[in-house]
Amino acid sequence: MQLDHSFTVPAGLDDAWKLFQDLDRVAPCMPGAVLDTLDGDSFTGRVKVKVGAVQMSYRGEGTVTRDETARSMLLDLSGSETRGAGTASATVTATLTAAASGTVVRVRTDLDITGRPAQFGRGIMTEVGDRIVQQFATRLEELLRVAGPGQSPMSTTSAAETLRGRLAPEPEAIDLGAAALPVLLRKAAAPAAAALFAVLVIQALRRHSRK
């Protein structure tokens, strides 16, 4: 499935681009993910997700290709469950564009996933992705704020050290079930309202027939 998201970071295009090239600092901002190794444009890492009471851990690898002129990055990612048969692969394209409020980051994800998370359809996965991206953007904003206005995040190590100091060695699982629940409730609202209306109509007809 193809997913599209966008968010804005409070930094100029050049500073935002420099930050996004530093995967060692950006990766800890992604909920549920931890970067294990980084060798040039190749890396390995882990992601932990939760669906209800069931937790799943994925171990995978990826590569990043950068286009300096277009201010875009292409990530090829693949992974598999550490205990299970589920797999996940994704091609993620992030494009940065200057805006009055900072830098707009547009992310397009081509996702192929098997196993238990595949039970969610595209609509729910889009909503889940929105929530994850919002958390990611909030953490990036905090990283930029700690770096200080007018400073390049690349030249300040205190921001990364501060954030890393608050992260546990094992990532906290992304709760896909909790993220999907509001969507499921919205989808169920219309049928529930229709059923309630039908019950009220039937009750009104019964009262009318007794008169």
Side-chain angles (χ1 to χ4, degrees):
M1 65 183 74
Q2 187 176 89
L3 308 173
D4 293 286
H5 301 92
S6 64
F7 59 93
T8 302
V9 293
L13 180 59
D14 289 341
D15 282 347
W17 175 245
K18 290 177 182 177
L19 175 60
F20 270 81
Q21 292 185 75
D22 192 351
L23 293 180
D24 195 32
R25 301 182 68 203
V26 172
C29 296
M30 179 60 67
V34 62
L35 189 66
D36 288 325
T37 65
L38 178 61
D39 184 10
D41 294 332
S42 301
F43 55 89
T44 64
R46 288 165 287 146
V47 175
K48 184 179 291 185
V49 301
K50 180 170 67 172
V51 180
V54 179
Q55 287 195 9
M56 292 156 286
S57 296
Y58 292 83
R59 186 179 297 276
E61 58 187 15
T63 59
V64 58
T65 304
R66 302 174 178 86
D67 187 333
E68 180 80 26
T69 303
R71 288 293 199 273
S72 67
M73 300 175 61
L74 175 67
L75 290 90
D76 286 315
L77 311 170
S78 63
S80 58
E81 284 188 69
T82 55
R83 296 181 180 179
T87 62
S89 62
T91 301
V92 182
T93 304
T95 304
L96 281 63
T97 308
S101 55
T103 299
V104 176
V105 183
R106 293 180 175 85
V107 182
R108 169 161 291 186
T109 304
D110 290 303
L111 176 65
D112 185 9
I113 190 167
T114 65
R116 283 162 287 189
Q119 64 185 288
F120 299 124
R122 184 182 186 281
I124 294 178
M125 289 301 292
T126 298
E127 291 273 353
V128 171
D130 286 340
R131 291 173 179 268
I132 294 174
V133 167
Q134 287 171 8
Q135 294 179 41
F136 176 64
T138 299
R139 294 180 181 183
L140 277 180
E141 184 175 348
E142 184 177 1
L143 178 61
L144 289 163
R145 185 169 59 250
V146 174
Q151 297 184 32
S152 168
M154 285 284 288
S155 63
T156 306
T157 58
S158 59
E161 290 170 355
T162 299
L163 288 178
R164 286 173 184 165
R166 295 203 303 260
L167 292 175
E170 280 292 321
E172 183 179 351
I174 306 170
D175 192 345
L176 297 185
L181 182 59
V183 191
L184 296 175
L185 291 177
R186 285 201 301 270
K187 289 188 175 183
L196 178 60
F197 178 75
V199 170
L200 293 175
V201 169
I202 292 172
Q203 289 178 343
L205 291 174
R206 285 177 177 174
R207 286 196 298 267
H208 180 74
S209 64
R210 292 170 184 170
K211 293 181 179 179

